[in-house]
Amino acid sequence: MPEEVKTNPETSPRPKKRFHFRSVVSLANRKLPVRFAAVVLASSTLISALLGIFRDRLLNSYYLDTYPTGIDAYTAAFTIPDFLFFLLTSGALAVSFIPVFNQRLSTGNKKSAWELSSSLLNLMAIMTLIASVLIMIFAEPLVRYIVGPGLDESGTILAINMMRVIAINPFLFSISTILSSIQQALGRFIFYALAPALYNVGILIGIVWFTGGINLFGWQIFEGGIMGVALGVVFGAVLQVIVSLVGLFGLGFDYEFKISWKNQGFRSVLKLLPARSLDQGIDYVNTLVTTNLSSRMGAGALRSYNQAYSLSQMPVSLIGVAISTAFFPKLTEELGEGKEAKYRQTFRTALGTIIWIALPVAVIAFFARGYVVSFIKNGGDPLISSVLGTLIISIIANSIFHIVARGFYAHQDTKTPFYVSIITVGLTIALAIIFSILGLGVEGLGWAQSVGTMLEIIILIVLLQKRSQHKLLDQQFWKNTMRTIFATGITGCVAYSLTKFFPFLASDDSIFIVFPKFCVITAGSLITYIIAGYFLNLEQVEPIIQRLKKILLKTK
C-alpha cells in the first residue's frame, strides 16, 4: 500500500473563500439602529440627489436653451403618471402599511404579517397596472387639456408620446414601494436606500446612450432623440424593482399569489389607505395646477419652475424624509408597546433634529441660490434662481411636515392630515391662480407654495399638540427651537456677507469655478452655525463638540 501522505495545516494551501451572494445580502440586510439608519438614508439620498443634479445638468445643457419646447414636453409627460403613483401608492402605502405590519409582528403573528404583505402587493399591482393602461389610452386629452394646454403642437405630440412610455412607471413603482416598505418596517434600510440612486442611474443611461439610438444585432430598433430619456426613466424604474427584490433575501418573506380579503391586517390597511392616498393626491393636484399654469407662461417656464421646485425638494428629501423614515418604525413600535412617554421623547428628538438641520440649509440655499442653480445649468439661470428664492420657506415647512404627519400616522390616524391638506392645498391653488392673474409669473407659483406649506405645518403641529394627553412639545423643546432660530439668524448674516465677498458672476460658467466658492460660503456659514449653537447651548451641538474633541485628542 502507498505510504500515507501527511500534510501540515500551517503550510498546506487554504481553501479559497467563495463568494456567496446570499451571505453578502444577509450581511447588508442587518437591522440598523435608528441613528445609523438615518445616516444611511441621508447618505443614499445625497448620492441620489447628486446623481439627480448631474441628470438635470445634462438635460438642461442639451435642451433648455436649444430645445425648450422638448424639455417642457418631457417635464409635462411625467405629471399624470407621477400623480397616479402618488395617489395609489407612494408614501401613502408605507405610512399605512408599516404600523399594521409591525403590530402583527410584535404580537408574534408572522403568518398574518406575510399574508398582509402578499395581499397588498397583489392588489396594488393590479390597480396600478390598470391605471398605467388608462394613461396610455387617454394620454392625448390629458396632455392637451390638463398638464400642457400652453404647449405648441409639436410639444403636445411629443408630450403625448413620452407619457405613453412613462405610463408603465406607476405599476413598477408600486411593486418596488411595497417591497421596500417591508424592509423599512423590519429596520432594513440598505437596499431600500439604494433604489432611488439606481432610478437616476437608469435616467442617466437614457440621456447618455438611448438618446443616440438603440441598435440590436445591427438593427436600429430606436432612432434616439429626447424620447430616449423617457426610455431611461422606465429602465430606472425596472432597476428599482430589481434591487427591492434583492433586499428581500433573508427576511423570510412568504409570498402568496392571492388577495386575502379576510385578513384583519389587510382590512385595517385598506381602511387607513384612502385618507392618506387622497392626501397625497390632493397635494399633487397642486402640481397639476402649477404645471398647467406654467405651460402658459412661455417656452421654458414649465421646466424652470419644475427645476426650482426639484432643487427645493432635495434638502427636504435629505433632511425631512430621511430622518422621518428612519424614526417612523420606532415611533410605531413604541406606541404599539404602549410606551407613550418614549414615543413623545423620540418624536421631539426627530423634530428637533430636522429643524436644527433644515433652518441653516434653507438660509444658505437662499443666499447662495445662484451657485445652486449653476449646478444643474451651466452658467446659472436667473429665472430658476428667482423661483428658488420664493420656495425657501417651503424647504423648512416641507421638511418639518414629514415628521409631524408621521406623528399622526403612528397613531394610525391618516384622516387628520388629509383634512388639513384639503384646506391648505385649496389655499395654495387659489393663491397660484390669483398671483398668475396679477402677473407675478412663475415666481408667484413659488410664493403660493411657500405660504400653503407653512400654514399646513402650523395647523398640524397645533392639532398634534392638542391630541396628546401630556405635552408632546414641552417648554424645553420650544426654548431650544428659539435658540436654533437665533443661531440661524447669525448664520444668515455670515452667508450673506460671504456671497458678497465671493459673488456669483456671469463669467462663472464652469463648475470648477463655482464649486470652490460655494464650498467656502457653505463651510463658513456652517462653522458659524456650530459656534453660535455651542454658545447658545443647543443640545444638538453637544455630540458634535464631543466628537471633535475625541478627534483632536487622538491626533495629539
Side-chain angles (χ1 to χ4, degrees), residues 325-372:
T325 300
F327 273 90
F328 185 55
K330 188 176 181 181
L331 291 172
T332 60
E333 183 180 326
E334 287 169 348
L335 279 180
E337 295 173 354
K339 300 175 181 177
E340 182 74 27
K342 283 191 175 182
Y343 158 79
R344 291 196 300 272
Q345 181 58 45
T346 301
F347 182 84
R348 284 194 292 267
T349 300
L351 179 57
T353 302
I354 288 173
I355 293 173
W356 180 70
I357 300 174
L359 285 176
V361 168
V363 166
I364 294 169
F366 177 76
F367 289 112
R369 60 190 182 276
Y371 301 89
V372 174

Side-chain angles (χ1 to χ4, degrees), residues 6 13 17 34-35 40 43 49 84 93 113 139 188 309 436 450 518 524 531 551:
K6 294 182 180 180
K17 292 183 178 180
V34 173
R35 291 184 183 277
V40 168
S43 300
L84 285 176
L93 186 63
R188 272 70 172 182
Y309 184 77
S436 297
S450 286
F518 178 76
I531 294 172
I551 294 172

Side-chain angles (χ1 to χ4, degrees), residues 74-91 132 135 147 163 166-171 173 199 203 233 237 277 280-281 283-285 287-288 291 306 309-310:
Y74 166 77
T75 307
F78 265 96
T79 313
I80 297 299
D82 279 359
F83 170 63
L84 285 176
F85 168 64
F86 277 100
L87 181 65
L88 298 174
T89 317
S90 187
S132 294
I135 293 173
V147 297
M163 185 179 287
I166 300 171
I168 194 62
N169 273 15
F171 170 68
F173 282 154
Y199 176 59
I203 300 176
V233 171
S277 294
Q280 292 269 120
D283 286 342
Y284 209 82
V285 166
T287 302
L288 295 178
T291 302
N306 171 269
Y309 184 77
S310 295

